[in-house]
Amino acid sequence: PATPNANLVNSSVRALSDQGDAILINGFVVGGEDLKSILVRTVGPGLEVYGVTDVMPQPSVKVFNQASVLIAENSGWETGDSGAITNASALVGAFPLVSGSADSAVIATVSPGPYTAQVAPLDGQGGNVLVEVYDVTSGSGFLVNQSARGEITPDQEVLIAGFAVSGSATRRALIRCVGPTLGDFGVPAPVSDSSLSVFNSNQVQISSNDNWSDRSDAAEIAAAAQTLGAFAVPEGSADAAVLIDLTPGSYTVHARGVGGATGTVLLEVYFLAE
């Protein structure tokens, strides 16, 4: 797991989400030993002021633990503890949610372990949505990795995941965009050929890949995945992956289908232990 001098302090994913197999799923792992507080937000209508079109009009969020037990849910952020959500959003530097909007948010106290935040339309109407997970508690607990499973479609050709690294140290990360290998796990209609691009806070591309085993460091990528406990991606597959050293700051990863390929992709960001 990551150490306190370089923490993964938040994660976000923007993509299309709908019902059934097309729902957007953001996975994350809480490290450390202590309980911690997290803020999870799903923003649909609130994206329109940033020029995003075809937004999900009424996103709802459900947070599940490792045992698939529902631990928190919300539809309409002001139906919960809106004061606490407003304060937590300001604390972590998130943009404010609009009063009266149908965006959703929850604050939950969680123990170390893996969780998923699942986004679905309350009224059955899908669209673009942003799901965010923030670390509200300072201390020994922190996010260890993030993942997002979403859809690449002709109308939405890119899935965008964002994350922020705090602290003072440079950390090595494994970033993967898995498409075709998802079929081995029974995922219907995965992207047949996936690619990824990593950008820094200035939107400068700092790394990219299409076909991970063509890289000169493919053996290191495979070894890193094994060390982290990530499932193996077959050599020669059309999945994408990079190993990259990250200084503290904000980053985004763009996942695409190569040659217009569409379907389901899994985007993962892991910190390697020092």
Side-chain angles (χ1 to χ4, degrees):
T3 52
N5 61 355
N7 300 342
L8 180 62
V9 291
N10 69 55
S11 69
S12 64
V13 181
R14 197 194 83 183
L16 285 175
S17 185
D18 211 319
Q19 304 177 81
D21 292 330
I23 67 169
L24 177 61
I25 302 174
N26 189 3
F28 56 96
V29 176
V30 175
E33 299 177 352
D34 303 325
L35 294 175
K36 69 179 303 179
S37 180
I38 61 170
L39 170 66
V40 182
R41 311 196 312 175
T42 58
V43 185
L47 295 178
E48 291 181 323
V49 297
Y50 299 99
V52 179
T53 59
D54 189 26
V55 300
M56 183 183 291
Q58 291 186 287
S60 66
V61 60
K62 294 183 178 181
V63 182
F64 296 86
N65 65 13
Q66 182 177 9
S68 298
V69 174
L70 178 66
I71 62 169
E73 64 178 320
N74 178 253
S75 55
W77 71 278
E78 289 177 305
T79 63
D81 190 343
S82 59
I85 289 168
T86 298
N87 291 338
S89 297
L91 178 67
V92 299
F95 62 85
L97 297 176
V98 178
S99 178
S101 76
D103 303 306
S104 299
V106 294
I107 295 176
T109 300
V110 296
S111 57
Y115 297 86
T116 59
Q118 301 185 14
V119 185
L122 185 64
D123 62 354
Q125 184 176 342
N128 280 300
V129 67
L130 175 71
V131 55
E132 306 169 301
V133 180
Y134 293 95
D135 178 2
V136 181
T137 304
S138 61
S140 62
F142 41 83
L143 301 178
V144 176
N145 67 50
Q146 75 164 109
S147 64
R149 198 192 83 176
E151 299 296 308
I152 303 295
T153 72
D155 295 327
Q156 185 69 47
E157 298 178 346
V158 58
L159 183 150
I160 302 174
F163 60 95
V165 180
S166 71
S168 58
T170 297
R171 293 302 302 270
R172 173 152 284 206
L174 170 65
I175 302 176
R176 306 198 304 182
C177 181
V178 184
T181 297
L182 293 180
D184 298 340
F185 298 92
V187 175
V191 167
S192 59
D193 191 352
S194 57
S195 68
L196 67 84
S197 300
V198 185
F199 298 85
N200 63 17
S201 58
N202 295 319
Q203 290 304 300
V204 174
Q205 182 174 297
I206 58 175
S207 187
S208 64
N209 178 248
D210 170 25
N211 300 335
W212 73 277
S213 59
D214 292 343
R215 290 175 56 95
S216 60
D217 60 353
E220 294 178 63
I221 289 174
Q226 183 176 16
T227 299
L228 291 161
F231 62 85
V233 178
E235 183 176 354
S237 76
D239 306 293
V242 296
L243 278 173
I244 185 171
D245 292 321
L246 300 173
T247 57
S250 299
Y251 299 89
T252 57
V253 184
H254 293 193
R256 297 178 183 272
V258 176
T262 60
T264 303
V265 295
L266 177 68
L267 190 56
E268 305 170 300
V269 179
Y270 296 93
F271 272 178
L272 276 71
E274 289 185 318

